[in-house]
Amino acid sequence: MTPPIFDAAFIARLDDLFRWRRDVRHFDTRPIPERDLQDLIATVAFAPSVGNAQPWRIIRIRSPALRDRLAEHVDTASHAAADRIADPARRAHYSTLKLHGLREAPEILAVFNALDPLAGHGLGRATIAETLRDSTVTAIHTLWLAAHARGYGLGWVSILNADAVTALLDVPATWSFVALLCLGTPLASSDIPELERRDWQAREPLADRLFER
């Protein structure tokens, strides 16, 4: 098969995709057509992984009761996180932020990492076991970009207790929790990330994070 040519126009559009990708918290409740959802999840298979181990394990949350328990857990964790913010003004600001879309997003996915998958036969991870988790995170980013390119949005819910979520989902002991994801159609799009628009944290210069040796 002849490889495609990625011309200047494609590269410009790809750069737009990177710039416009967002961590979405505000979702339209309309369901994602099943074909679209399956196409999205299929893109995960194209993500790079150490030794081609493909360590990602994805759970689609279908139970309304389980969704409610996850949302309640995240709300509790968020309140506890607020209590740990020493500055009163920053704490008050935190309380105004919407930090997840677990109740509104039409799809909730939990992503785990297999700790010792047979696939890959150990290649590339004998000295740095974290490469498996790195592979799973890369798969999530692949899904994130694919979703945005198709008009959907993804939100990564991080204010939670990983052990508690793992217990709720009753997964094998050989799986390690990585992410709880909300997936659906964003209520709105913006060229500025929400946390920057809400004066929580602006994007800082890349030059401050680029070093040479």
Side-chain angles (χ1 to χ4, degrees):
M1 180 181 296
T2 302
I5 296 174
F6 300 113
D7 59 14
F10 175 88
I11 292 170
R13 296 287 286 168
L14 182 61
D15 286 344
D16 285 340
L17 177 61
F18 294 148
R19 278 192 291 267
W20 281 81
R21 181 213 56 81
R22 293 289 170 261
D23 188 352
V24 178
R25 291 91 182 270
H26 306 269
F27 291 92
D28 191 312
T29 58
R30 288 177 298 171
I32 299 175
E34 188 65 23
R35 181 68 265 166
D36 285 3
L37 180 65
Q38 294 304 321
D39 287 346
L40 273 176
I41 293 176
T43 64
V44 171
F46 299 114
S49 64
V50 62
N52 206 19
Q54 305 145 78
W56 42 82
R57 306 291 185 263
I58 302 171
I59 297 178
R60 183 181 178 188
I61 309 299
R62 308 297 295 272
S63 163
L66 187 52
R67 175 196 285 255
D68 287 343
R69 292 178 69 185
L70 288 167
E72 290 167 4
H73 169 74
V74 171
D75 285 343
T76 299
S78 181
H79 292 320
D83 291 340
R84 292 192 290 271
I85 299 175
D87 179 66
R90 176 66 68 172
R91 186 167 60 249
H93 191 180
Y94 177 95
S95 69
T96 68
L97 301 175
K98 182 174 175 56
L99 299 174
H100 70 83
L102 289 168
R103 292 184 174 87
E104 302 86 14
E107 295 290 338
I108 305 298
L109 305 175
V111 183
F112 289 80
N113 178 65
L115 297 175
D116 191 20
L118 292 176
H121 308 286
L123 179 65
R125 63 182 195 258
T127 56
I128 307 178
E130 292 83 358
T131 52
L132 284 170
R133 186 179 181 89
D134 295 341
S135 299
T136 297
V137 171
T138 302
I140 293 169
H141 190 244
T142 300
L143 174 64
W144 215 330
L145 293 175
H148 190 81
R150 290 163 172 79
Y152 298 110
L154 184 146
W156 187 324
V157 183
S158 59
I159 305 173
L160 47 77
N161 180 282
D163 291 339
V165 173
T166 298
L168 275 175
L169 297 181
D170 189 27
V171 302
T174 54
W175 294 9
S176 173
F177 176 80
V178 177
L180 186 62
L181 306 175
C182 302
L183 183 63
T185 303
L187 283 179
S189 296
S190 174
D191 61 342
I192 303 173
E194 181 171 355
L195 291 181
E196 185 170 353
R197 295 199 318 272
R198 299 292 302 278
D199 296 321
W200 182 265
Q201 176 63 59
R203 192 181 302 280
E204 296 187 344
L206 177 59
D208 292 347
R209 287 156 171 76
L210 183 62
F211 306 93
E212 294 185 3
R213 294 291 187 268

